[in-house]
Amino acid sequence: MASICTALIVFFITGASIILAYLNEKNRPYSAQDVFCNLQKQHGLGKTAVVKAMELLAQEGKIKEKMYGKQKIYFADQSQFRDVSDADLKAMDKQISELSAEVQTLTQSCRQLDTELKELNSSLTTEEMMAEIQELKAECSGYRERLEKIKSATNHVTPEEKEKVYKERDVYVKEWKKRKRLASDMMNAILEGYPKSKKEFLEEVGVETDEDCKVVLPTT
């Protein structure tokens, strides 16, 4: 039983020392909850132990305590710190400005390095590149074989045959346009005395237009 009490006392004193050092280092006001959250993970301090230790430190005058509404705020005893002159404050402001600029520079550098890292991670490795080269070589080889087969084929269309096909096509297209124009003229003449719409007329006689069949008249 005595050994357990001794261990608890040692733990309590150690926790108080950690909290006192933390408050003196940060030199800013904290609630017991803040100190617990900030130190619990690193030092494994329980919330009840933190609250008791801070109350004891305040009673001993090692830290200061103030009430803000219903919440107690604790902060380091300012009398332990030396007075700061205007020159010291200006020097601190200058140092803060320099450090802030350095932080900004380092942040930009980190972002650039992060971008480069992402690009490298998205790039192919040497092994992947070699595998892709082999695939491309195999694909090119297949294309060469197809090209050789096409070149060696005996059923090529001669320029004369090609020209003949194009001429026949022009004839058919012209005839198509001519017949379409004649049909349109005849239909317009009928519609002059027809009591219904053009659409109704076409449905009645069972005529489908190129547009109905989604056919586009080729250009010559």
Side-chain angles (χ1 to χ4, degrees):
M1 186 70 174
S3 61
I4 295 176
C5 291
T6 302
L8 290 173
I9 292 172
V10 172
F11 179 78
F12 185 78
I13 294 174
T14 303
S17 300
I18 293 172
I19 293 170
L20 178 60
Y22 178 76
L23 291 176
N24 287 335
E25 177 190 357
K26 300 301 182 181
N27 194 20
R28 54 162 293 181
Y30 287 104
S31 67
Q33 177 67 29
D34 294 332
V35 174
F36 165 70
C37 292
N38 294 341
L39 299 180
Q40 190 271 337
K41 185 176 181 180
Q42 183 178 359
H43 299 285
L45 300 177
K47 185 174 181 181
T48 301
V50 170
V51 172
K52 294 295 183 183
M54 295 184 75
E55 289 177 349
L56 179 61
L57 289 170
Q59 291 173 8
E60 294 176 348
K62 294 180 179 179
I63 62 174
K64 297 298 181 181
E65 173 188 277
K66 280 191 176 183
M67 290 293 298
Y68 282 90
K70 296 182 179 181
Q71 188 177 36
K72 288 183 180 180
I73 299 298
Y74 300 90
F75 52 91
D77 182 7
Q78 299 301 302
S79 63
Q80 65 181 309
F81 302 115
R82 68 180 181 84
D83 292 335
V84 181
S85 64
D86 290 341
D88 290 335
L89 289 175
K90 289 181 180 179
M92 290 179 185
D93 289 339
K94 181 180 179 182
Q95 185 180 14
I96 290 173
S97 179
E98 291 174 352
L99 291 174
S100 297
E102 184 178 354
V103 168
Q104 185 175 3
T105 301
L106 290 174
T107 301
Q108 292 176 349
S109 178
C110 287
R111 289 175 180 172
Q112 183 177 355
L113 291 174
D114 184 58
T115 301
E116 293 178 3
L117 179 61
K118 289 180 180 178
E119 290 177 354
L120 289 173
N121 288 335
S122 62
S123 302
L124 295 176
T125 63
T126 303
E127 293 77 10
E128 291 172 338
M129 185 69 73
M130 294 300 296
E132 186 166 343
I133 289 174
Q134 293 302 320
E135 290 179 5
L136 291 173
K137 285 183 177 180
E139 188 175 349
C140 289
S141 177
Y143 288 144
R144 290 193 189 96
E145 291 179 4
R146 289 178 59 188
L147 181 60
E148 291 300 325
K149 288 181 180 179
I150 293 173
K151 288 181 177 180
S152 61
T154 57
N155 59 345
H156 293 299
V157 177
T158 63
E160 292 77 12
E161 291 174 328
K162 182 178 179 181
E163 181 66 22
K164 180 181 178 182
V165 170
Y166 279 132
K167 286 183 178 180
E168 289 179 352
R169 174 185 178 277
D170 290 341
V171 172
Y172 295 141
V173 170
K174 289 179 181 178
E175 186 65 23
W176 184 355
K177 290 181 178 180
K178 177 181 177 182
R179 295 189 179 189
K180 183 172 183 177
R181 185 172 58 253
L182 290 173
S184 179
D185 292 342
M186 292 173 60
M187 183 172 59
N188 289 334
I190 295 173
L191 288 174
E192 289 181 359
Y194 188 73
K196 300 180 182 179
S197 66
K198 178 180 178 180
K199 181 179 180 181
E200 291 174 318
F201 170 74
L202 292 174
E203 290 177 352
E204 186 173 335
V205 297
V207 174
E208 292 184 347
T209 64
D210 292 340
E211 292 73 21
D212 293 334
C213 299
K214 296 181 180 180
V215 176
V216 179
L217 187 66
T219 58
T220 55

